[in-house]
Amino acid sequence: MTKRKEGKNRLISFESILWFLHISITTLAIIDRFTTNAWPRQMFSIGAGSAGSDRITGFKPGPWSVVAYDVIARISGRFSICAFNFMLISRLQILEQWLASSWISQNVVDCSNITEVNLRSHKWNGIALIQVVQGVFEWPLSERTPPGFKDMNPSTEMISMQVDDVFRLVEMTLLLCVLLPLSVKWLSINWHLGIHLHRFITVLYFVDIVRRHSHPHSWVLNTPIFCIWILDKILSMYWHRLRADTITCEDISPDYIALYWSDNSADISRGVGIAPKYLMKLNSSSFVESRHPFTSFTAEGYFQEIHNHVANNDTVIKAAVIRVFNNLRKPQLFGDRISHTQKMAMQEHQSDLHIWGPFQSRQSTLISKHLIDAQNGDKSLIFIGSGSAVNFMIDALSFAMMNVECVKGKRIVLLYSTRDRALHTWVKSAFYSMVGDFEKRIKDVDLLKNLEIVLSCTAKDNASFPLRLSSFDDASIVDSVSSPELDDTKCSFVSDENAINVEVSGYDKSSPNPIVKTMYCRINMGDAISNNTIVFCQGSKAFVDNARKICKSKKNVKFHYD
């Protein structure tokens, strides 16, 4: 078995350092604009003249509204320069993963949540950025003010705008108020399109701020970071690219496959934590197809048959259960009408598949940290997932079983749901084998009392188990993927007072292992999640949103999702 180790507690968190640098640098930049102004725009020259003129002393003449506008313009100018740079830096994949696995994270900085912190920083910096007289053309693609032009004239109490001002108002409204929300939505439902639109907006925003002859600070400060961001995207195509000797695909059902591959990388044990991400792309895919991320688990002794088929016993075998999207893409990306996962399932020769990784995910090191941390000994750890989220649940349970102290001090609960009967059977076999192997290795059988695994099958043909919990109230969670397949006429709704009885009646009592409980109804998360717990969740957006809503209704519950 692959042994994973968790480092000692760190004194400084990555998030503290990131926000300290962000706030301090931004604050100093704003203070400089109002005081020393050590780098005014009149120091720069371009084309027919200077890059603009910054008022050194005082504010624009006029009433209080003009002064207020001047103050806001100075603050937003310096703030947007800093925010755009931090937004790009937070998405430098190579820097992020290098920090997570370097000696810095081992000895100086706690980078266990670096992926989550960077995504949160990227989100908030992006939100913070959301902020006619014809002139003369200026290089590279700008407009100079005509003679006698004043954007604010106190004597006539008039505000004047140039053609470029109007253009930027329309452009930024479309980019930040229309396309940006659309790209965020597409990232969850049409990822292959959303990721390209998101990056396209970034490029257009950068072009808009550096094309202006009056933005010399953006030329000097934003351009290098943008170039580094582009370079990171290019180099990441070659960084941590695997040479998997063998790749095997197992068909679980028409909607799910299990992919196994060998990982011979020397740094497989670096600090990527539990259930790391791997990026995959078929060589036959369109050149504009982005690499697709998948959560993985380590295929240990309980997958011995597959393990022996893929490679020798000294090779680390990684695996991932993958949801196959069989519907045609709407809208499609250029010529690829078939989804990438469907092409992976149809692929006769898996050698055409390129794999990169492993990379730390939002939950990877947080899971191992909470499992080992003795300070959380009185808290239950609850893992919730649906569909292909079984990957992170298998790896978390495997880690706990290899580190018996995790099981000794905590109650560990796994709550899994799927509408796919074949996948449900596959998951049952995996957990039965894992728990059976654990029982053989441990000496203290009382440790098993701290484990609870509930596997729910919500397939449409669950006629033999008609009872299910109330599905649409605040106290229960709904798998958005499986909801349409449940026929309410075949189900008896019961009140929350009878929830415990329904749970018992819903269990498959023929289970060969009492720790692994099979249910043919929905799981009542309102009862399953108690106060003073730590919850890790993966699944569809609706699934995660429902879980978050339930956790917020509880006391002292920490919620982590991916």
Side-chain angles (χ1 to χ4, degrees), residues 171-207:
E171 177 196 29
M172 288 297 136
T173 300
L174 290 176
L175 281 182
L176 304 180
C177 298
V178 179
L179 295 181
L180 183 59
L182 179 62
S183 72
V184 173
K185 181 180 179 180
W186 277 359
L187 283 172
S188 60
I189 60 175
N190 290 302
W191 187 87
H192 68 289
L193 287 176
I195 189 64
H196 287 296
L197 179 58
H198 206 68
R199 291 169 179 168
F200 177 71
I201 294 170
T202 302
V203 173
L204 282 188
Y205 183 88
F206 169 77
V207 171

Side-chain angles (χ1 to χ4, degrees), residues 182-247:
L182 179 62
S183 72
V184 173
K185 181 180 179 180
W186 277 359
L187 283 172
S188 60
I189 60 175
N190 290 302
W191 187 87
H192 68 289
L193 287 176
I195 189 64
H196 287 296
L197 179 58
H198 206 68
R199 291 169 179 168
F200 177 71
I201 294 170
T202 302
V203 173
L204 282 188
Y205 183 88
F206 169 77
V207 171
D208 183 79
I209 61 175
V210 299
R211 71 177 179 82
R212 292 283 298 168
H213 74 280
S214 57
H215 292 173
H217 297 98
S218 293
W219 308 339
V220 178
L221 299 176
N222 290 137
T223 301
I225 302 300
F226 180 80
C227 292
I228 292 174
W229 178 70
I230 294 293
L231 183 63
D232 174 81
K233 299 305 175 190
I234 297 174
L235 294 180
S236 63
M237 297 298 298
Y238 306 95
W239 190 66
H240 286 307
R241 181 170 171 175
L242 297 182
R243 290 186 177 180
D245 296 331
T246 309
I247 303 175

Side-chain angles (χ1 to χ4, degrees), residues 339-500:
S339 72
H340 190 265
T341 52
Q342 186 177 7
K343 292 174 68 175
M344 290 172 61
M346 296 167 54
Q347 197 70 23
E348 294 183 2
H349 303 289
Q350 295 298 331
S351 58
D352 186 45
L353 183 66
H354 294 170
I355 303 176
W356 294 260
F359 303 115
Q360 184 184 121
S361 68
R362 299 174 74 163
Q363 297 183 357
S364 293
T365 53
L366 286 176
I367 294 175
S368 55
K369 180 180 179 180
H370 284 300
L371 281 170
I372 291 179
D373 191 357
Q375 296 179 0
N376 294 321
D378 60 336
K379 292 188 177 182
S380 298
L381 299 184
I382 301 179
F383 299 87
I384 306 173
S386 65
S388 58
V390 69
N391 295 318
F392 98 104
M393 302 176 85
I394 289 177
D395 227 32
L397 183 61
S398 176
F399 180 88
M401 289 178 172
M402 288 189 295
N403 298 270
V404 182
E405 294 298 322
C406 300
V407 184
K408 184 179 294 184
K410 301 176 183 68
R411 178 172 173 262
I412 300 176
V413 181
L414 276 67
L415 306 174
Y416 176 76
S417 173
T418 180
R419 68 169 178 173
D420 193 294
R421 185 173 291 280
L423 177 61
H424 186 257
T425 301
W426 187 93
V427 172
K428 277 195 300 182
S429 300
F431 281 120
Y432 286 161
S433 299
M434 291 176 67
V435 174
D437 180 68
F438 184 58
E439 288 178 317
K440 295 176 183 178
R441 291 189 292 106
I442 63 172
K443 298 179 181 179
D444 186 1
V445 293
D446 290 337
L447 293 178
L448 297 176
K449 297 179 180 178
N450 295 332
L451 286 177
E452 182 179 0
I453 303 172
V454 180
L455 308 178
S456 170
C457 180
T458 57
K460 183 178 180 180
D461 57 348
N462 284 340
S464 57
F465 294 91
L467 289 180
R468 66 180 172 93
L469 303 180
S470 178
S471 302
F472 301 100
D473 55 24
D474 292 339
S476 50
I477 193 166
V478 180
D479 183 341
S480 63
V481 176
S482 63
S483 298
E485 290 205 353
L486 284 174
D487 186 351
D488 290 343
T489 61
K490 296 182 180 180
C491 300
S492 300
F493 286 84
V494 296
S495 61
D496 288 336
E497 297 91 327
N498 298 323
I500 296 178

